[in-house]
Amino acid sequence: AQRVTQPEKLLSVFKGAPVELKCNYSYSGSPELFWYVQYSRQRLQLLLRHISRESIKGFTADLNKGETSFHLKKPFAQEEDSAMYYCALRFFNFGNEKLTFGTGTRLTIIP
Amino acid sequence: GAVVSQHPSRVICKSGTSVKIECRSLDFQATTMFWYRQFPKQSLMLMATSNEGSKATYEQGVEKDKFLINHASLTLSTLTVTSAHPEDSSFYICSARARTGPTEAFFGQGTRLTVV
Protein backbone atom coordinates (compact mmCIF):
# COMPACT_ATOMS: atom_id res chain seq x y z
CA ALA A 1 0.00 0.00 0.00
CA GLN A 2 1.08 3.56 -0.61
CA ARG A 3 2.41 5.12 2.52
CA VAL A 4 4.53 7.98 3.79
CA THR A 5 6.54 7.49 6.95
CA GLN A 6 8.11 10.18 9.06
CA PRO A 7 9.82 8.35 11.91
CA GLU A 8 10.46 11.35 14.13
CA LYS A 9 7.49 13.05 15.78
CA LEU A 10 9.70 15.60 17.48
CA LEU A 11 13.12 16.96 16.60
CA SER A 12 15.07 19.60 18.48
CA VAL A 13 18.16 21.17 16.98
CA PHE A 14 20.39 24.01 18.11
CA LYS A 15 20.47 27.16 16.03
CA GLY A 16 23.24 26.93 13.48
CA ALA A 17 23.34 23.14 13.54
CA PRO A 18 22.39 20.99 10.55
CA VAL A 19 18.84 19.71 10.25
CA GLU A 20 17.59 16.51 8.65
CA LEU A 21 13.94 15.51 8.68
CA LYS A 22 13.42 11.97 7.51
CA CYS A 23 10.77 10.79 5.08
CA ASN A 24 10.34 7.37 3.54
CA TYR A 25 7.66 6.32 1.14
CA SER A 26 6.24 3.15 -0.33
CA TYR A 27 4.87 3.32 -3.84
CA SER A 28 5.47 1.00 -6.75
CA GLY A 29 5.09 3.64 -9.45
CA SER A 30 6.93 6.90 -10.07
CA PRO A 31 6.43 8.99 -6.94
CA GLU A 32 5.79 12.69 -6.79
CA LEU A 33 6.88 13.96 -3.40
CA PHE A 34 6.47 17.21 -1.55
CA TRP A 35 7.42 18.81 1.74
CA TYR A 36 4.79 21.01 3.34
CA VAL A 37 5.35 23.23 6.36
CA GLN A 38 2.92 24.60 8.91
CA TYR A 39 4.07 27.52 11.03
CA SER A 40 2.30 28.33 14.26
CA ARG A 41 -1.32 29.37 13.64
CA GLN A 42 -0.91 29.30 9.88
CA ARG A 43 -2.19 27.01 7.20
CA LEU A 44 -0.17 24.33 5.49
CA GLN A 45 2.01 25.65 2.72
CA LEU A 46 4.29 24.09 0.19
CA LEU A 47 7.97 24.17 1.05
CA LEU A 48 9.37 22.29 -1.90
CA ARG A 49 8.69 19.52 -4.41
CA HIS A 50 11.12 16.96 -5.70
CA ILE A 51 10.42 17.70 -9.36
CA SER A 52 11.79 21.21 -9.06
CA ARG A 53 15.04 20.20 -7.36
CA GLU A 54 15.03 23.63 -5.77
CA SER A 55 16.26 25.10 -2.52
CA ILE A 56 13.70 27.04 -0.51
CA LYS A 57 14.63 28.92 2.68
CA GLY A 58 17.90 26.97 2.63
CA PHE A 59 16.11 23.60 2.60
CA THR A 60 16.76 20.90 0.03
CA ALA A 61 15.41 17.41 -0.45
CA ASP A 62 16.67 14.74 -2.80
CA LEU A 63 14.59 11.84 -3.96
CA ASN A 64 16.46 8.58 -3.46
CA LYS A 65 14.53 5.88 -5.26
CA GLY A 66 16.86 3.12 -4.10
CA GLU A 67 16.21 3.93 -0.46
CA THR A 68 12.67 5.21 -1.15
CA SER A 69 13.50 8.33 0.80
CA PHE A 70 12.95 12.06 0.47
CA HIS A 71 14.73 13.52 3.47
CA LEU A 72 14.62 17.27 4.09
CA LYS A 73 17.92 18.95 4.92
CA LYS A 74 19.25 22.33 5.88
CA PRO A 75 22.91 22.96 6.73
CA PHE A 76 22.36 25.67 9.34
CA ALA A 77 19.13 25.84 11.31
CA GLN A 78 17.49 29.17 12.06
CA GLU A 79 14.99 29.96 14.80
CA GLU A 80 12.30 30.75 12.24
CA ASP A 81 12.51 27.17 10.99
CA SER A 82 10.58 25.97 14.05
CA ALA A 83 7.38 24.51 12.63
CA MET A 84 5.54 21.32 11.78
CA TYR A 85 6.85 19.59 8.66
CA TYR A 86 4.89 17.11 6.59
CA CYS A 87 6.12 14.91 3.78
CA ALA A 88 3.47 14.15 1.15
CA LEU A 89 3.08 11.72 -1.73
CA ARG A 90 0.95 12.36 -4.80
CA PHE A 91 -0.05 9.26 -6.72
CA PHE A 92 -2.80 7.69 -8.75
CA ASN A 93 -4.74 4.64 -7.67
CA PHE A 94 -6.86 3.13 -10.46
CA GLY A 95 -6.96 6.53 -12.07
CA ASN A 96 -7.95 8.34 -8.89
CA GLU A 97 -5.59 11.04 -7.70
CA LYS A 98 -4.53 11.06 -4.09
CA LEU A 99 -2.30 13.20 -1.91
CA THR A 100 -1.35 11.50 1.33
CA PHE A 101 0.71 12.81 4.20
CA GLY A 102 3.13 11.44 6.73
CA THR A 103 2.46 11.93 10.41
CA GLY A 104 4.61 15.03 10.53
CA THR A 105 7.69 16.12 12.47
CA ARG A 106 7.65 19.03 14.85
CA LEU A 107 10.95 20.82 14.51
CA THR A 108 12.09 23.05 17.34
CA ILE A 109 15.16 25.20 16.95
CA ILE A 110 16.88 25.91 20.23
CA PRO A 111 18.37 29.42 20.41
CA GLY B 1 0.20 33.07 -4.98
CA ALA B 2 -2.78 30.75 -5.17
CA VAL B 3 -5.33 31.24 -2.42
CA VAL B 4 -7.81 28.74 -1.08
CA SER B 5 -10.52 30.04 1.22
CA GLN B 6 -12.42 27.76 3.54
CA HIS B 7 -15.61 28.81 5.28
CA PRO B 8 -16.57 28.79 8.07
CA SER B 9 -13.41 28.67 10.12
CA ARG B 10 -15.34 27.52 13.17
CA VAL B 11 -18.79 26.05 13.58
CA ILE B 12 -20.71 24.59 16.48
CA CYS B 13 -23.80 22.55 15.74
CA LYS B 14 -26.23 20.32 17.58
CA SER B 15 -26.24 16.56 17.23
CA GLY B 16 -28.41 15.42 14.38
CA THR B 17 -28.07 18.55 12.29
CA SER B 18 -26.07 18.96 9.10
CA VAL B 19 -23.18 21.31 8.49
CA LYS B 20 -21.80 22.53 5.18
CA ILE B 21 -18.18 23.57 4.73
CA GLU B 22 -17.14 25.50 1.65
CA CYS B 23 -13.78 25.44 -0.07
CA ARG B 24 -13.08 28.03 -2.74
CA SER B 25 -10.10 28.61 -4.96
CA LEU B 26 -10.00 32.39 -5.25
CA ASP B 27 -7.57 33.03 -8.07
CA PHE B 28 -7.27 29.79 -9.97
CA GLN B 29 -9.38 26.99 -11.37
CA ALA B 30 -9.20 23.79 -9.39
CA THR B 31 -10.11 20.58 -11.12
CA THR B 32 -9.14 18.54 -8.08
CA MET B 33 -9.84 19.21 -4.43
CA PHE B 34 -8.87 17.07 -1.48
CA TRP B 35 -10.70 16.90 1.84
CA TYR B 36 -8.85 15.96 5.00
CA ARG B 37 -9.66 15.42 8.62
CA GLN B 38 -7.12 16.14 11.31
CA PHE B 39 -7.39 14.90 14.86
CA PRO B 40 -5.51 16.72 17.63
CA LYS B 41 -1.76 16.30 17.30
CA GLN B 42 -2.17 13.90 14.42
CA SER B 43 -1.57 14.08 10.72
CA LEU B 44 -4.00 14.87 7.95
CA MET B 45 -6.16 11.91 6.99
CA LEU B 46 -7.36 12.00 3.41
CA MET B 47 -11.12 11.60 3.36
CA ALA B 48 -11.88 12.01 -0.31
CA THR B 49 -10.76 13.45 -3.60
CA SER B 50 -13.23 15.42 -5.63
CA ASN B 51 -12.99 16.27 -9.29
CA GLU B 52 -15.05 19.01 -10.86
CA GLY B 53 -18.19 17.67 -12.44
CA SER B 54 -17.85 14.11 -11.21
CA LYS B 55 -18.43 12.07 -8.09
CA ALA B 56 -15.93 12.20 -5.29
CA THR B 57 -13.66 9.26 -4.58
CA TYR B 58 -13.78 8.33 -0.92
CA GLU B 59 -11.07 6.66 1.12
CA GLN B 60 -11.73 3.34 2.74
CA GLY B 61 -13.69 3.74 5.94
CA VAL B 62 -15.15 7.14 5.07
CA GLU B 63 -18.95 7.04 4.76
CA LYS B 64 -19.96 8.83 1.60
CA ASP B 65 -23.55 9.21 2.79
CA LYS B 66 -22.35 10.93 5.92
CA PHE B 67 -19.75 13.17 4.32
CA LEU B 68 -21.34 14.51 1.16
CA ILE B 69 -18.93 16.17 -1.22
CA ASN B 70 -19.99 18.32 -4.13
CA HIS B 71 -17.60 19.89 -6.64
CA ALA B 72 -19.97 21.64 -8.97
CA SER B 73 -17.64 24.29 -10.32
CA LEU B 74 -13.94 24.83 -10.93
CA THR B 75 -13.69 27.12 -7.92
CA LEU B 76 -15.97 25.57 -5.32
CA SER B 77 -16.21 22.28 -3.47
CA THR B 78 -18.42 21.66 -0.45
CA LEU B 79 -18.34 19.08 2.31
CA THR B 80 -21.58 18.47 4.15
CA VAL B 81 -21.47 16.53 7.38
CA THR B 82 -24.94 15.04 7.66
CA SER B 83 -26.65 14.07 10.90
CA ALA B 84 -23.61 15.16 12.84
CA HIS B 85 -22.56 13.38 16.02
CA PRO B 86 -20.06 14.44 18.67
CA GLU B 87 -17.50 12.00 17.24
CA ASP B 88 -17.57 14.01 14.02
CA SER B 89 -16.03 16.91 15.91
CA SER B 90 -12.69 17.54 14.27
CA PHE B 91 -10.61 19.89 12.16
CA TYR B 92 -11.50 19.62 8.48
CA ILE B 93 -9.11 20.92 5.85
CA CYS B 94 -9.51 21.27 2.11
CA SER B 95 -6.88 21.71 -0.53
CA ALA B 96 -7.09 22.46 -4.20
CA ARG B 97 -4.89 21.69 -7.15
CA ALA B 98 -4.85 23.93 -10.19
CA ARG B 99 -6.08 22.74 -13.55
CA THR B 100 -2.81 23.70 -15.20
CA GLY B 101 0.71 24.36 -14.07
CA PRO B 102 2.46 22.95 -10.99
CA THR B 103 0.90 19.96 -9.32
CA GLU B 104 1.17 21.04 -5.71
CA ALA B 105 -1.98 21.55 -3.69
CA PHE B 106 -2.88 24.77 -1.91
CA PHE B 107 -4.57 24.57 1.45
CA GLY B 108 -7.47 26.27 3.11
CA GLN B 109 -7.21 27.50 6.66
CA GLY B 110 -9.34 24.67 7.99
CA THR B 111 -12.71 24.43 9.75
CA ARG B 112 -13.03 23.49 13.39
CA LEU B 113 -16.31 21.59 13.77
CA THR B 114 -17.72 21.00 17.23
CA VAL B 115 -20.86 18.91 17.58
CA VAL B 116 -22.65 19.29 20.90
Side-chain angles (χ1 to χ4, degrees):
Chain A
Q2 297 81 8
R3 192 168 55 239
V4 178
T5 305
Q6 292 180 252
E8 303 138 328
K9 272 195 152 178
L10 303 169
L11 182 64
S12 294
V13 172
F14 283 101
K15 178 182 172 182
V19 175
E20 183 179 48
L21 299 166
K22 291 186 169 49
C23 171
N24 287 90
Y25 67 92
S26 61
Y27 180 53
S28 55
S30 270
E32 189 171 353
L33 288 149
F34 305 87
W35 276 99
Y36 281 84
V37 60
Q38 188 170 29
Y39 299 104
S40 180
R41 295 194 176 86
Q42 293 186 30
R43 69 184 69 190
L44 267 166
Q45 57 185 279
L46 178 71
L47 181 61
L48 52 79
R49 51 183 176 261
H50 91 268
I51 287 176
S52 303
R53 301 181 67 82
E54 57 205 339
S55 173
I56 304 292
K57 298 184 180 183
F59 285 97
T60 58
D62 290 319
L63 176 62
N64 185 323
K65 290 188 177 180
E67 295 182 359
T68 60
S69 68
F70 188 56
H71 304 327
L72 183 68
K73 298 177 183 179
K74 183 169 182 175
F76 307 104
Q78 298 172 285
E79 287 185 63
E80 54 265 32
D81 296 330
S82 292
M84 193 75 182
Y85 291 80
Y86 292 97
C87 184
L89 169 69
R90 176 176 177 258
F91 65 97
F92 287 83
N93 187 24
F94 297 104
N96 298 311
E97 182 178 355
K98 298 180 188 296
L99 181 65
T100 58
F101 285 76
T103 47
T105 299
R106 181 166 298 282
L107 175 65
T108 302
I109 306 302
I110 306 164
Chain B
V3 178
V4 174
S5 175
Q6 201 171 328
H7 178 81
S9 55
R10 287 179 184 274
V11 60
I12 300 172
C13 71
K14 290 186 177 180
S15 284
T17 62
S18 295
V19 173
K20 182 185 282 189
I21 302 169
E22 290 187 349
C23 181
R24 291 182 187 273
S25 56
L26 297 187
D27 51 1
F28 66 99
Q29 293 183 326
T31 45
T32 304
M33 288 189 175
F34 304 97
W35 285 95
Y36 295 88
R37 184 171 178 176
Q38 188 175 34
F39 293 99
K41 296 186 180 176
Q42 293 190 31
S43 185
L44 291 79
M45 280 180 44
L46 181 64
M47 296 175 67
T49 303
S50 75
N51 294 294
E52 185 264 337
S54 62
K55 289 184 179 179
T57 305
Y58 289 80
E59 294 300 296
Q60 202 168 17
V62 178
E63 298 175 59
K64 59 183 177 185
D65 294 331
K66 177 150 188 74
F67 297 100
L68 298 177
I69 291 171
N70 184 281
H71 192 163
S73 79
L74 284 171
T75 58
L76 174 65
S77 176
T78 60
L79 167 68
T80 301
V81 183
T82 62
S83 188
H85 288 283
E87 55 265 31
D88 298 326
S89 298
S90 193
F91 195 58
Y92 293 88
I93 305 171
C94 76
S95 70
R97 186 174 66 71
R99 185 160 61 110
T100 58
T103 55
E104 71 262 28
F106 300 95
F107 282 79
Q109 69 271 42
T111 297
R112 170 78 56 201
L113 170 63
T114 304
V115 185
V116 296

